[in-house]
Amino acid sequence: MSNESSRLRRRLAIEGASSVWFRTAGYFALLVFVLIGATLVWKSLPVLSQYSLVELLTSSTWDPAQNRFGFMPAIVGTLAVSAISMAIGAPIAILTAIYLAEYATDPWKTIISSFVDALAAIPGVVFGLVGLIVVVPFVRDYLAPAVGADSAGQGILTASLVMGIIVTPFIVSLTVESLEALPRELREATLSVGATEWEVTKHVLLRAAGPGILSALLLGFGRVFGATIVPAMLIGSQTVLPESVFSPGQTLTTLIVNDFGELMSLPLTQSALIFVGLLLLVVVWLFNFAAMLLRRRLEQRWQY
C-alpha cells in the first residue's frame, strides 16, 4: 500500500512539475514577443515623433538623404507579391493535398510527400539562385514580350512566381493534415448513400476541413508577406510605385535588407527602417491571430 502511495505521489509531483514547465515556456514565448515589440516601438519613436503614421504609410517618396520616408511603394510591392504568389501557389497546393490525402496510393503518396517535404526544406537562397538563372530570363525573353511588355526580368511577377513555389509545400502539409484528421466514418457514410469520391471530397471533406485549409492559406499569406531573401534577389529593389507586374519594385522586408547596413549611421533613417520591422511584426501577428479566430469560428459553424 505504501509503495502505491509513493508511486502516486511521484506521478503527481512529475505532473505538477511538467505543468509548471509548460506554463513557464508559454509565458517565456509571450515575454520574448512583448520584448521584441517593445524594442521596435522604442527604436521607432524618433521617426514617429517627426512624421505622422498616415504620412509614413501613404507617401510614395523614399529618399533617406532628404529625410523623406514614404512606405507606400514597399507596401504596394509587398501586397502585390503576396497576392500573386498566393494566387499561383494556393490552387496547386490544395489540389496536391487533395490528391495526397484522398486519391494517392501508398507508394505514390510516399514518393510525392517526400518531394514536397524536401521542397519545403530547400533554403530560400537556392530558390533565389534558380530564379535568377531560370525565371528571370524566361520573364525577360518570353513572358513579357508575349504580352507586349518590356521587362529586365527582375520584378514583381518574377518574385511572385518563385514565392508561389516556395509557399506551396507549406500549404500542402497543413491541408493534408486537415483532411487526414477527418474521421473515416465521414467518408464511408457519404459513399454509402451513392455519392462519388469526388462528390465526397467536394461537398463533405473540403467543407469539414475548411477551417484548417483557410488557416493554412492565411498562414501561407503571412509567410509570403514576411519573405526576405527571394524578393531581395528577384524583385529589382527600386522603391517606386510599380506600373505593372513586370516592373521592378520593393517590399517591406527588402527595404530593410537593402538600406539598413549602409544607412545605420543616420539615426532617423535607422528609426524609419526599424518602424518597418515593427509594421511587419504587427501584420504577421494579425495574420496568425486572424487564422486562429477564423478556424475556431468555422469549426463551430461547419461542424460535421
Side-chain angles (χ1 to χ4, degrees):
M1 191 70 178
S2 60
N3 290 336
E4 292 181 2
S5 299
S6 177
R7 283 198 298 268
L8 179 59
R9 285 196 297 270
R10 237 185 349 258
R11 290 173 58 187
L12 291 176
I14 293 174
E15 183 177 349
S18 300
S19 177
V20 171
W21 168 251
F22 292 136
R23 190 182 301 113
T24 302
Y27 289 150
F28 178 75
L30 178 61
L31 178 63
V32 170
F33 181 85
V34 171
L35 287 176
I36 292 174
T39 302
L40 293 177
V41 170
W42 176 51
K43 291 292 187 179
S44 301
L45 289 178
V47 72
L48 291 174
S49 64
Q50 296 194 28
Y51 301 91
S52 68
L53 183 62
V54 174
E55 183 181 0
L56 291 172
L57 297 180
T58 59
S59 175
S60 59
T61 303
W62 176 263
D63 188 0
Q66 301 296 325
N67 286 338
R68 303 181 69 180
F69 307 109
F71 298 127
M72 180 57 70
I75 293 173
V76 171
T78 302
L79 294 176
V81 170
S82 300
I84 297 173
S85 300
M86 292 300 296
I88 295 170
I92 298 173
I94 292 175
L95 292 174
T96 302
I98 291 173
Y99 173 73
L100 290 176
E102 302 301 326
Y103 296 96
T105 57
D106 286 339
W108 280 110
K109 183 175 182 178
T110 302
I111 293 172
I112 296 175
S113 296
S114 66
F115 278 103
V116 170
D117 293 340
L119 196 64
I122 296 175
V125 67
V126 176
F127 282 103
L129 289 174
V130 174
L132 288 172
I133 297 171
V134 178
V135 183
V136 169
F138 171 73
V139 172
R140 181 189 62 220
D141 300 334
Y142 300 99
L143 190 56
V147 298
D150 293 327
S151 175
Q154 292 180 309
I156 289 176
L157 181 61
T158 305
S160 300
L161 289 171
V162 179
M163 284 306 305
I165 297 173
I166 291 176
V167 77
T168 296
F170 178 76
I171 300 176
V172 168
S173 297
L174 294 179
T175 303
V176 168
E177 289 179 5
S178 298
L179 290 170
E180 290 183 340
L182 299 177
R184 176 60 58 182
E185 292 79 7
L186 188 64
R187 299 168 174 83
E188 295 174 350
T190 311
L191 288 171
S192 66
V193 297
T196 64
E197 289 190 10
W198 172 241
E199 288 174 336
V200 173
T201 301
K202 180 180 178 182
H203 297 293
V204 178
L205 300 183
L206 290 180
R207 179 183 176 89
I213 296 173
L214 289 177
S215 296
L217 293 177
L218 284 176
L219 293 173
F221 191 91
R223 190 180 183 91
V224 176
F225 193 91
T228 304
I229 186 64
V230 171
M233 298 175 70
L234 300 176
I235 202 170
S237 299
Q238 294 187 18
T239 315
V240 294
L241 286 172
E243 298 178 356
S244 71
V245 295
F246 294 100
S247 302
Q250 190 81 277
T251 66
L252 293 170
T253 54
T254 59
L255 192 65
I256 298 174
V257 170
N258 293 330
D259 292 349
F260 196 86
E262 61 187 36
L263 298 176
M264 283 186 64
S265 59
L266 305 175
L268 196 59
T269 303
Q270 183 185 102
S271 178
L273 293 174
I274 292 175
F275 172 72
V276 176
L278 176 62
L279 191 62
L280 286 167
L281 178 70
V282 171
V283 171
V284 171
W285 177 80
L286 286 176
F287 273 119
N288 290 327
F289 187 68
M292 181 187 66
L293 291 181
L294 183 61
R295 183 186 183 103
R296 289 182 178 178
R297 176 164 296 189
L298 292 181
E299 283 177 347
Q300 295 174 355
R301 183 176 179 182
W302 293 353
Q303 291 180 354
Y304 53 85

